[in-house]
């Protein structure tokens, strides 16, 4: 209950500080992740403000969300170019990229984890954040491509609802995101 109250307070403070940004569901995942890392409401607020002010994150949620829509279009085109078998499998199953990728990108992949031990935070998510802070949305797209490439054989044999369940639940809770598999994640980028 205390964590939920702190999270609500952080999100309300962000809404007051940045009224031009439309609230998105992902902000609560990111704030919750930061709150678990810091256990400090004020620090979490400043981290969130840093993300909003120093990255392209906020630009995705202004006005009609056209930048976010173009981001999803770009991601889909890159899958088609670099991972055509997965692209055709998704298309054959009538799965659009904007059906599953918002849960990844809008949350900055924080929906993939719960911090069990503060002394052993999820290295993969922190690495994704490093990539995002250094490369912006290009870094998140690269991460999405790595995930699709890594699991394309599985995607090719699934149907619509199975693909969505797999990409929205199974993948992000898989060993791929666990600290023990960090080296696998890093090697997938190479």
């Amino acid at each position: 209950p205390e964590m939920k109250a702190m999270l609500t307070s952080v999100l309300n403070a962000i809404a007051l500080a940045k009224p031009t940004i439309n609230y998105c569901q992902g902000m609560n995942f990111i704030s919750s992740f930061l709150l678990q890392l810091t256990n400090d409401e004020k620090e979490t607020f400043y981290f969130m403000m840093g993300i909003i002010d120093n990255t392209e994150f906020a630009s995705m949620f202004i006005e009609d969300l056209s930048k976010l829509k173009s981001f999803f279009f770009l991601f889909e085109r890159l899958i088609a170019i670099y991972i055509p078998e997965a692209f055709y499998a998704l298309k054959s199953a009538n799965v659009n990229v904007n059906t599953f990728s918002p849960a990844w990108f809008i949350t900055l992949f924080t929906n993939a984890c719960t911090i069990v031990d503060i002394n052993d935070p999820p290295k993969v998510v922190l690495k994704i954040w490093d990539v995002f802070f250094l490369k912006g949305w290009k870094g998140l797209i690269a991460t999405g491509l790595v995930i699709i490439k890594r699991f394309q054989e599985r995607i090719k044999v699934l149907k619509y609802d199975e693909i969505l369940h797999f990409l929205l639940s199974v993948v992000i809770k898989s060993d791929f995101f666990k600290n023990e598999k960090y080296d696998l994640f890093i090697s997938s980028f190479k």
Side-chain angles (χ1 to χ4, degrees):
E2 182 182 331
M3 190 69 84
K4 188 175 181 178
M6 289 178 12
L7 179 60
T8 300
S9 176
V10 168
L11 293 171
N12 287 336
I14 292 167
L16 288 172
K18 297 291 181 182
T20 59
I21 297 173
N22 293 326
Y23 170 78
C24 79
Q25 191 65 30
M27 289 180 190
N28 64 346
F29 282 97
I30 298 165
S31 297
S32 177
F33 179 79
L34 288 168
L35 203 50
Q36 290 175 65
L37 279 177
T38 65
N39 199 29
D40 184 289
E41 195 174 332
K42 190 175 180 180
E43 257 186 77
T44 299
F45 170 77
Y46 284 117
F47 274 127
M48 282 298 294
M49 293 304 291
I51 291 169
I52 291 167
D53 290 339
N54 299 307
T55 70
E56 299 172 27
F57 184 77
S59 67
M60 292 292 174
F61 307 104
I62 295 174
E63 296 177 25
D64 66 351
L65 306 178
S66 59
K67 195 167 185 180
L68 186 63
K69 293 171 189 171
S70 63
F71 175 77
F72 295 140
F73 175 78
L74 175 63
F75 182 54
E76 183 174 62
R77 298 307 315 141
L78 290 171
I79 293 170
I81 293 166
Y82 292 108
I83 319 165
E85 290 181 36
F87 175 78
Y88 292 119
L90 291 169
K91 284 296 168 196
S92 295
N94 293 316
V95 175
N96 293 317
V97 166
N98 62 355
T99 309
F100 65 87
S101 62
W104 294 354
F105 300 130
I106 292 173
T107 68
L108 302 178
F109 290 90
T110 56
N111 64 333
C113 61
T114 300
I115 299 173
V116 177
D117 180 358
I118 193 65
N119 297 315
D120 190 26
K123 294 178 196 170
V124 171
V125 173
L126 294 176
K127 185 62 173 178
I128 291 169
W129 280 31
D130 286 346
V131 171
F132 175 63
F133 293 142
L134 292 171
K135 304 282 185 182
W137 289 105
K138 291 177 187 176
L140 287 185
I141 287 175
T143 300
L145 292 172
V146 164
I147 292 169
I148 297 294
K149 176 80 172 161
R150 171 83 172 91
F151 294 104
Q152 75 173 328
E153 294 306 315
R154 183 76 184 273
I155 291 168
K156 288 176 0 184
V157 300
L158 299 174
K159 295 181 177 111
Y160 177 84
D161 56 335
E162 296 168 325
I163 290 173
L164 290 182
H165 174 71
F166 182 71
L167 294 175
L168 291 170
S169 297
V170 176
V171 167
I172 61 172
K173 293 181 178 18
S174 72
D175 286 345
F176 193 62
F177 277 87
K178 295 199 168 108
N179 284 349
E180 304 84 54
K181 299 293 183 170
Y182 180 73
D183 292 336
L184 171 65
F185 177 80
I186 295 301
S187 68
S188 296
F189 265 95
K190 295 180 178 168

